[in-house]
Amino acid sequence: MKCLEGLHLQQRPSKFSVSLAPEEGLVCAFQLEEEKENEDECVCSDQAPEVKEEGCGLGDPAIVSAFQNTQVPQQRGLHSSHRVKVSGALGMSSASLHFMWQSVFPRASSPAHHFGPQQPSPDPFLFYSPLTPWPPKLSLPSHLTQLHPQHQQILQQQQRWRRRRSPTARSVPAQKPWSREPAASDAYANLMTRKEKDWVIRVQMVQLQSENPRLDDYYYQKYYQKLEKRQADKELLGQKTRAESLKLVTPYIQKPEVYESVVRIEGSLGQVAVSTCFSPRRAIDAVSHGTQEQDTGAASSQRLRVLSQIEKMFLQLLKIEEGQNDGLPQLYHTREQSSQVEKLFQALKTQEQNNLEEAADNLLQVLSVRKGKVLVARLLPFLPPDQAVSLLLYITYHLPLLIQRDMADQGLHMLFKPLGKYISHLTFHQLLHAMQGLMLLSPGSSERPVSVVLQNQFGISLLYALLSHGEQLVSLDPSLRSSSDCATWTDLVILIAWEIAQLPAASLAEPLAFPRNLLPCSAITWTSN
Amino acid sequence: MNYMPGTASLIEDIDKKHLVLLRDGRTLIGFLRSIDQFANLVLHQTVERIHVGKKYGDIPRGIFVVRGENVVLLGEIDLEKESDTPLQQVSIEEILEEQRVQQQTRLEAEKLKVQTLKDRGLSIPRADTLDEY
């Protein structure tokens, strides 16, 4: 199995922390001294003893010159197999790498320069070899290096499947593909040590880590979800032969969270600026101060205030929605989410209670902006029923005003669906109260507010839905029929029917949905006539 | 099957025989010995293979350190099927001559094209500003 098993990944961190620790004699394939120690642990087992013996003789000038001699024909033709064996006896990396330097820089051909183990060679590889000194604070704590939870889960699942399929063959986890024993003839194999390979893997992994994969890596996450879903569907259909799709192994490593642009060194006079790939040097240390609350004095800024408030609440709402569908189990979120929703609901409400005397209170203002309507419509599904019902009552009560303000952007109807779900939560009394508000004659006009409602699509839809709910309550609960509420209800219905009859049929709006227990409006007009 | 991100997936290909196509059109064949995160490659026992028509020739080159940005594609060579090719191997001198001829004809064709376009009052961008691959 050519894959990074979960087990391996969990082992890996300890190795990394070793290779990153600055005190440790770090491995560089191009430094002979260290290689001697290093090969003991890193070269695969069948070569190790050989390497040890010969490696110690590397300092010997005789051997060095022997090397040099073997190398001349090497450059002419590299296919002669005996030469492979000759240098192979020396352990692969030292020999082959010196070839390399010869052929790469043929002019700087002083043997002493190339072969003296003590000579520090100008080594461009150092720039990206494991020797590059990493700031110690970046050596990640091993316990933080782990798979992305989702991947971990999948890998474990895969392991289980494999075990189930072949219970005897795979008792040990699969080997890392690169740790396979090389062919015996290839004496140059394993030029890259395990540590170096792990280092490269790690560097690549670190780039991919993300605290919020849905945000940073949206398309891959979506694609992956789709892939998983398709596989799950296939399995449901009973297709045993799962084509295993490629999977990207991403780790979850916590980022070094603090950004320190300046390190203070004990006893030093100046400050040293550090920059790493994780925390690049900040060219501009700008912090935005502009978003502070502006003073709200003038009437024009009142509207601006409402707009900015909607904007803020919308961001909150987006966060709530994001928490809702990030695919994790609901349990983790419910508490946090409900507190967030509560906060948002209070934010909608608060202003209203503070200055009741103002004709246009906060919620009304929010609802007269298109984005505010969207906000309320999207927030409604998250609200607990009692809060949603209070919103519904509020909207019903202020329906004529809202309709007047909605003339421009015609956005109210998007509230109908989310509101409609909560109509069934209304008690008879609440319903009656809300409806009566619509029937009151306002002092200055001869028109009842309900006539405005009837001429608006959202208004008439909501009204019909409310009437339908009322009728349902009356028919289901016999105790209501004898109460005085029932008489009021009947009066109300008759009054509305009369209002409908008063209006010309053409000016009635087409309702978004027509409740089944109401007669079509033509029938109503006919009966009332 | 899982794969690792970026060039780390190349680690599985280490110590296998690879064909590497470079950005300048050269083809190298050798054993991949070492890689890093930039896909810089170390090729060992490398030959440069020149293809002209149905013929090809190998020029032994030795060790290559290839800067990663110059790699167009790289693929493993199946050692068992390596000799199973319809192409005919010829000597280095011959293939170099073939290549020279091919380049000559290509150059002439190019010149002709430019000249014809010029006659018609058109101009094409200079060839060296275009990346061939």
Side-chain angles (χ1 to χ4, degrees), chain A residues 44-57:
Chain A
C44 57
S45 54
D46 60 342
Q47 285 186 343
E50 231 179 9
V51 168
K52 224 198 270 181
E53 281 173 50
E54 299 290 333
C56 300

Side-chain angles (χ1 to χ4, degrees), chain A residues 405-453:
Chain A
R405 293 192 180 187
D406 192 45
M407 285 305 174
D409 55 30
Q410 296 292 329
L412 269 180
H413 60 85
M414 67 179 108
L415 281 167
F416 179 66
K417 232 181 174 177
L419 276 179
K421 284 185 188 142
Y422 292 103
I423 286 180
S424 59
H425 291 274
L426 282 175
T427 63
F428 192 63
H429 190 76
Q430 280 174 325
L431 184 65
L432 216 53
H433 187 73
M435 300 279 280
Q436 274 171 333
L438 291 178
M439 305 314 292
L440 288 175
L441 269 173
S442 51
S445 73
S446 59
E447 219 181 23
R448 287 182 206 277
V450 78
S451 66
V452 182
V453 171

Side-chain angles (χ1 to χ4, degrees), chain A residues 349-456:
Chain A
K349 280 276 191 183
T350 41
Q351 223 69 9
E352 181 192 9
Q353 279 150 17
N354 287 350
N355 33 5
L356 268 173
E357 71 280 359
E358 271 188 47
D361 57 49
N362 192 49
L363 186 53
L364 214 50
Q365 292 217 356
V366 168
L367 280 172
S368 35
V369 179
R370 186 180 174 83
K371 196 165 185 178
K373 285 167 215 163
V374 179
L375 173 77
V376 174
R378 280 166 74 164
L379 177 65
L380 272 168
F382 295 104
L383 287 175
D386 56 325
Q387 289 178 354
V389 162
S390 76
L391 271 184
L392 171 64
L393 288 174
Y394 182 88
I395 288 170
T396 315
Y397 193 77
H398 292 277
L399 204 49
L401 188 61
L402 284 176
I403 287 170
Q404 270 171 17
R405 293 192 180 187
D406 192 45
M407 285 305 174
D409 55 30
Q410 296 292 329
L412 269 180
H413 60 85
M414 67 179 108
L415 281 167
F416 179 66
K417 232 181 174 177
L419 276 179
K421 284 185 188 142
Y422 292 103
I423 286 180
S424 59
H425 291 274
L426 282 175
T427 63
F428 192 63
H429 190 76
Q430 280 174 325
L431 184 65
L432 216 53
H433 187 73
M435 300 279 280
Q436 274 171 333
L438 291 178
M439 305 314 292
L440 288 175
L441 269 173
S442 51
S445 73
S446 59
E447 219 181 23
R448 287 182 206 277
V450 78
S451 66
V452 182
V453 171
L454 285 171
Q455 291 172 59
N456 177 277

Side-chain angles (χ1 to χ4, degrees), chain A residues 459-517:
Chain A
I460 198 168
S461 312
L462 191 65
L463 190 67
Y464 279 2
L466 290 172
L467 282 174
S468 155
H469 178 58
E471 277 306 314
Q472 232 168 6
L473 285 179
V474 172
S475 62
L476 286 179
D477 192 352
S479 67
L480 277 177
R481 293 192 191 159
S482 52
S483 68
S484 64
D485 275 355
C486 188
T488 330
W489 173 253
T490 320
D491 290 346
L492 199 76
V493 173
I494 289 171
L495 213 57
I496 291 173
W498 186 77
E499 281 288 342
I500 292 173
Q502 285 289 304
L503 285 169
S507 65
L508 278 182
E510 182 71 21
L512 292 163
F514 204 85
R516 262 175 292 158
N517 60 349

